[in-house]
Amino acid sequence: MSATAAEAEFDPATAIAPPNAEAERAAAERQPTLTKPPGALGTLETLAITLAGQQGTPRPSADRVAVLVFAADHGITQQGVSPFPREVTAQMVANFANGGAAISVMARALDAELSVIDVGVDADLSALATVQPRKVRRGTRDMTVEAAITDAECTAAMAAGAAAVDAALASDGGRPDVLVFGEMGIGNTSAAAALTSALTGAPAMQVTGRGTGLDEPGVQRKADLIASALRLHGLDATNASDAGTNARRALRCVGGLEIAAIAGGMIHAARNGVPTLVDGFIATAAALTATRMNAGLRPWLIFGHRSAEPGHRALLDALDAEPLLDLGLRLGEGTGAAAAVPLLRLACKLHNQMHTFAEAAVAGRTE
């Protein structure tokens, strides 16, 4: 179903409860009792402790993972910011639905439930029975000419993300331990770069990358178009006031429907006590936007990987985030986060199944 009037009441600022401090403390107290030197498993230890707090249990799990991929088109593609035509968005959605995309393969390998959600593809996808139809409009407007989406459309897209999370939480496969948000949309690295510049103050050229494979002149032209859009909407460094108060306006003026859906989905997941394993450039742009709208989201985010897109570093710095992996990935779709799922699973298995010194009859540390 498409976004409804009821869904349009979604308020991103509604309070988010913090992770469970008692469960986190209990997990932290367990770690030194396990048969290893304290801290010897590094990030695998802190991951388990973080997940314990997020899941409200001293014995966390990452067995059940749901991947939500949101798809939408972008009006700025008519300016030639991608070497791929706009039609590829719809074609790739069909590829997701048919199991042939990278994230489709990874989800199967991880035994993760994959959902594909149309929030703004400029095509009729009704023949794809497995794609959730939550279309707000058929693509954004061209941000270099006018605001990408209206305020009502922004709310509806965030609400569509929340509704997709509700569907995942009610799945027959059981409530997920962790959510991964992915995206598909030709032109969405332009939207992400524009958001990054607007929210961090970094120059457009510094945060603009090759996307789907632009050459150097193409990257320069893309950056110039993004800078022009930021000036048009008063979001450039010389005009913008406090970045936090501008997050929603930035999302509306230069963002994307799938980015808004991911932002809404992350907030709604946190409200329901489910952590998000954050993907790369696009998803992290959504994460920064969402945390600027609701600071309570930040403790519910774990960052999966560092994208090869140059703007990702500025986003990670703004979020004070250290990703788990750096594999040179820049595909999107949720693939970088999916690649980090085995680390979460190992962290939980080690935390839950290693013997304590007492159980193993191994002498502990002497002072």
Side-chain angles (χ1 to χ4, degrees):
M1 57 184 290
S2 59
T4 66
E7 288 172 343
E9 297 174 0
F10 178 81
D11 181 4
T14 301
I16 298 172
N20 187 304
E22 183 176 343
E24 187 171 336
R25 181 167 53 252
E29 290 173 353
R30 174 174 169 78
Q31 278 291 328
T33 71
L34 302 178
T35 49
K36 58 177 175 57
L41 287 172
T43 300
L44 293 176
E45 296 185 20
T46 56
L47 263 179
I49 295 168
T50 296
L51 283 165
Q54 292 168 335
Q55 295 177 2
T57 172
R59 299 296 184 95
S61 171
D63 292 337
R64 294 188 300 275
V65 176
V67 181
L68 308 181
V69 177
F70 295 90
D73 278 303
H74 293 261
I76 196 174
T77 54
Q78 66 192 36
Q79 302 287 350
V81 295
S82 172
F84 285 86
R86 185 183 181 108
E87 291 75 19
V88 168
T89 302
Q91 293 164 0
M92 281 300 300
V93 170
N95 194 26
F96 295 142
N98 294 328
I103 191 58
S104 308
V105 174
M106 296 178 82
R108 285 197 300 273
L110 295 168
D111 196 23
E113 184 170 344
L114 174 63
S115 300
V116 183
I117 304 100
D118 170 18
V119 288
V121 179
D122 188 15
D124 179 3
L125 303 181
S126 58
L128 300 175
T130 60
V131 174
Q132 293 183 30
R134 301 187 187 275
K135 198 190 302 284
V136 175
R137 59 171 284 119
R138 290 179 61 141
T140 61
R141 301 165 186 86
D142 182 354
M143 72 170 79
T144 67
V145 177
E146 58 185 318
I149 51 178
T150 66
D151 194 67
E153 289 163 352
C154 183
T155 298
M158 295 186 78
V165 168
D166 281 336
L169 296 181
S171 167
D172 292 340
R175 178 184 171 90
D177 300 314
V178 178
L179 285 172
V180 169
F181 293 94
E183 38 60 40
M184 177 63 215
I186 296 299
N188 65 10
T189 58
S190 295
L195 277 172
T196 301
S197 183
L199 297 180
T200 69
M205 189 62 205
Q206 182 179 310
V207 298
T208 301
R210 295 181 182 276
T212 49
L214 289 172
D215 58 15
E216 287 300 330
V219 173
Q220 181 64 63
R221 184 169 183 278
K222 178 179 171 182
D224 290 343
L225 285 165
I226 291 168
S228 175
L230 293 169
R231 288 192 299 272
L232 173 67
H233 302 294
L235 294 168
D236 58 302
T238 60
N239 291 319
S241 56
D242 176 64
T245 63
N246 280 327
R248 185 182 179 91
R249 187 162 67 89
L251 181 59
R252 178 175 59 80
C253 291
V254 299
L257 292 161
E258 78 277 44
I259 296 174
I262 291 171
M266 288 179 175
I267 290 171
H268 195 63
R271 286 180 189 155
N272 283 275
V274 181
T276 292
L277 181 57
V278 183
D279 192 46
F281 185 39
I282 315 298
T284 309
L288 180 58
T289 304
T291 58
R292 292 284 175 83
M293 293 181 180
N294 194 327
L297 170 63
R298 179 61 185 86
W300 292 92
L301 304 178
I302 297 170
F303 293 82
H305 84 117
R306 188 186 306 278
S307 171
E309 281 289 308
H312 198 210
R313 183 174 297 277
L315 292 169
L316 292 170
D317 288 347
L319 286 158
D320 191 25
E322 185 61 39
L324 298 173
L325 299 172
D326 189 347
L327 302 175
L329 305 179
R330 57 181 182 86
L331 177 60
E333 302 180 7
T335 54
V341 167
L343 292 180
L344 270 63
R345 289 177 171 170
L346 280 173
C348 292
K349 298 295 185 186
L350 288 164
H351 179 79
N352 295 330
Q353 297 179 14
M354 279 185 70
H355 286 185
T356 65
F357 284 102
E359 290 167 340
V362 173
R365 179 176 176 176
T366 57
E367 298 299 335

